[in-house]
């Protein structure tokens, strides 16, 4: 009996161990199957997009998305040109610091919220909304009668800018094959320079002509207000052009809409090769796959009121955005996320902290003061006419800003040529370290010419780092996290930009040695940390 009982327990233990082993094997197989499925989907997409070729469609997409990038760049740069010229707003140095910062606060809200929504609602829909929002409130800000109104409208415009930035890059890169991605991201990012040049040239031509203008609603609509309206037009035109573009095929694939993805690929193929009867089998494979529906229930049921439908849809979107954000801080993405957030913070603090204050610094030097001293203040007793005369005859400020914007060209050319050969990580690290050295030597400049040379050098070098960071940030994550991650990282970058502008606004009337040295150190450390990121030059989009 004793032996029978021992045999029974032995068999029970063996059965239990076997069940545990089966469960573990089942979980392992499930994880491996899921991982293999991700790579199968990536290969399926990569083969299809490569079979579409490279031609008219990608070039058209480049110019449309590039024009949208240029419009965002012009909107950001607009305020920095308005600061020395908006005499009727009676701006102090503190007001100027907050005006420079407020658009980045809007970009924080727009970048994270809309960037996450683009992973759920689609790239194209969010782009149309964000570009329209940017242009509309950009125009409204030109009619602001006071500093408070101007601040609010620039905040709302900034939400549109922040919403568009991460989605534009995600949308664009998802139409590109592996071997074209790096250089094409570099080409697209170079339109940021074009936006800066456009804004600088418009400011140079329009703002000094203080006599042009007209009265509307009892408000003198002078040269700087006309300039603000002109800078908002590219955003509205971008929304118009994007309306005629298709949804991202990679996004459609990710949500299981294979038939729609196949149609987009066919459109790309026909644009590049003309109307051809035979479609490559790599494209036809999409139509053969079974569509997948992820929505757990129908929120558009006929018995539910429209308000409840919208509220339910919003809550579902918000829940999914939070879930996607949580995944960024879990393995295997945790390490990459933390490094990228630090790099975005350091680069944004240094770049925007200096860039947005260049026109103001040049004006102070031109008026005989120091770039780091001399308080700027306005009050009701100071003549607006005196301020307008300074704007009218201070055209060198806009010429210098134009040259700084133009200095981005060598950095963009270098990016396109070496981003695949040198690698994204190395290009980012080298650019940030050299930018930090340039900022350090800003402390020693004493003349307008020296300041201009150092500003051009800083601008030309740092733009290569931005281009490399854009590529790295997009290629590190799968499709269902790409816009969310880019939005979060750019949001942290905007926080850094706000801090940079506020710090410069507080310190510029005292002495700028402390913020300059801080920026130099942060850029240097950020550049070294970029080496820890993964290589993505020859990796298919997941």
């Amino acid at each position: 009996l004793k032996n029978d009982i021992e045999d029974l327990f032995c068999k029970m233990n063996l059965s239990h161990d076997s069940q545990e082993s089966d469960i573990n094997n089942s979980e392992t197989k499930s994880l491996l199957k899921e991982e293999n499925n991700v790579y199968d989907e990536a290969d399926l997409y990569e083969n299809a997009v490569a079979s579409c070729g490279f031609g008219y469609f990608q070039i058209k997409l480049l110019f449309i998305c590039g024009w949208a990038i240029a419009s965002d760049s012009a909107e950001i740069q607009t305020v920095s040109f308005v600061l020395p010229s908006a005499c009727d707003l009676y701006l102090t140095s503190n007001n100027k610091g907050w005006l420079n910062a407020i658009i980045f606060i809007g970009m924080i809200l727009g970048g994270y919220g809309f960037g996450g929504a683009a992973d759920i609602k689609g790239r194209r829909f969010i782009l149309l909304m964000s570009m329209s929002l940017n242009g509309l409130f950009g125009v409204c800000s030109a009619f602001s009668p006071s500093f408070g109104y101007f601040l609010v409208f620039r905040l709302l415009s900034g939400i549109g800018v922040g919403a568009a930035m991460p989605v534009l890059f995600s949308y664009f890169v998802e139409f590109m094959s592996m071997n074209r991605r790096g250089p094409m991201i570099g080409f697209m990012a170079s339109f940021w320079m074009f936006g800066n040049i456009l804004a600088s040239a418009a400011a140079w031509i329009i703002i000094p002509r203080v006599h042009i203008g007209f009265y509307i609603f009892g408000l003198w609509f002078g040269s700087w207000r006309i300039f603000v309206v002109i800078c908002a037009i590219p955003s509205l035109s971008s929304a118009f052009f994007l309306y005629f573009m298709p949804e991202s095929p990679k996004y459609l694939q990710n949500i299981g809409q294979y038939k729609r993805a196949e149609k987009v690929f066919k459109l790309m193929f026909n644009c590049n090769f003309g109307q051809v009867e035979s479609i490559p089998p790599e494209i036809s494979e999409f139509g053969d796959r079974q569509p997948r529906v992820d929505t757990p229930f129908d929120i558009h049921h006929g018995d539910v009121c429209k308000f409840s439908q919208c509220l339910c849809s919003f809550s579902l979107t918000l829940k999914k955005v939070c879930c996607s954000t949580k995944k960024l801080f879990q393995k295997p993405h945790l390490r990459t996320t933390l490094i990228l957030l630090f790099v975005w913070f350091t680069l944004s603090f240094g770049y925007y902290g200096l860039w947005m204050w260049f026109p103001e610094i040049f004006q102070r030097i031109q008026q005989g003061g120091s770039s780091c001293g001399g308080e700027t203040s306005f009050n009701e007793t100071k003549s607006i006419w005196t301020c307008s005369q300074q704007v009218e005859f201070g055209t060198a400020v806009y010429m210098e800003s134009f040259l700084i914007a133009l200095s981005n060209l060598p950095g963009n050319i270098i990016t396109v040529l070496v981003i695949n050969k040198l690698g994204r990580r190395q290009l980012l690290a080298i650019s940030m370290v050299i930018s930090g050295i340039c900022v350090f030597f800003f402390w020693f400049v004493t003349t307008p010419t020296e300041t201009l040379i150092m500003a051009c050098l800083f601008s030309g070098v740092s733009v290569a780092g931005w281009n490399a960071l854009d590529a790295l940030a997009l290629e590190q994550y799968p499709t269902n996290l790409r816009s969310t991650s880019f939005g979060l990282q750019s949001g942290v970058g905007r926080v850094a930009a706000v801090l940079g502008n506020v710090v410069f606004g507080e310190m510029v009337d005292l002495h700028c040695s402390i913020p300059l040295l801080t920026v130099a150190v942060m850029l240097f450390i950020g550049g070294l940390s970029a080496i820890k990121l993964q290589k993505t030059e020859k990796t298919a989009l997941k």
Side-chain angles (χ1 to χ4, degrees), residues 228-239:
V228 171
V229 171
I230 288 174
C231 286
I233 292 173
S235 295
L236 296 173
S237 61
S238 295

Side-chain angles (χ1 to χ4, degrees), residues 467-541:
N467 295 344
L469 181 58
D470 289 335
L472 271 172
L474 290 167
E475 295 172 343
Q476 296 282 338
Y477 298 95
T479 303
N480 64 317
L481 298 177
R482 187 169 296 118
S483 287
T484 304
S485 62
F486 202 91
L488 177 65
Q489 292 157 23
S490 61
V492 169
R494 306 320 172 201
V495 171
V498 171
L499 291 176
N501 277 286
V502 171
V503 166
F504 270 82
E506 294 296 330
M507 297 291 183
V508 76
D509 291 333
L510 302 174
H511 204 279
C512 64
S513 58
I514 296 175
L516 283 176
L517 289 175
T518 303
V519 167
V521 172
M522 289 177 71
L523 287 172
F524 193 85
I525 296 174
L528 294 180
S529 64
I531 298 294
K532 298 294 183 180
L533 291 167
Q534 296 178 358
K535 290 183 178 181
T536 58
E537 290 80 31
K538 297 181 180 180
T539 306
L541 287 180

Side-chain angles (χ1 to χ4, degrees), residues 83-103:
L83 296 186
S85 57
C87 305
D88 51 338
L89 296 183
Y90 304 103
L91 302 175
T92 65
S93 288
N94 183 266
N95 293 151
K96 292 177 179 181
W98 278 106
L99 273 177
N100 267 335
I102 198 66
I103 192 169

Side-chain angles (χ1 to χ4, degrees), residues 422 425-436 461 527-528 531:
L422 184 61
R425 299 182 310 169
Q426 289 82 349
L427 182 60
L428 175 59
I430 293 169
S431 171
M432 289 186 69
V433 169
I434 297 176
S435 297
V461 171
L528 294 180
I531 298 294

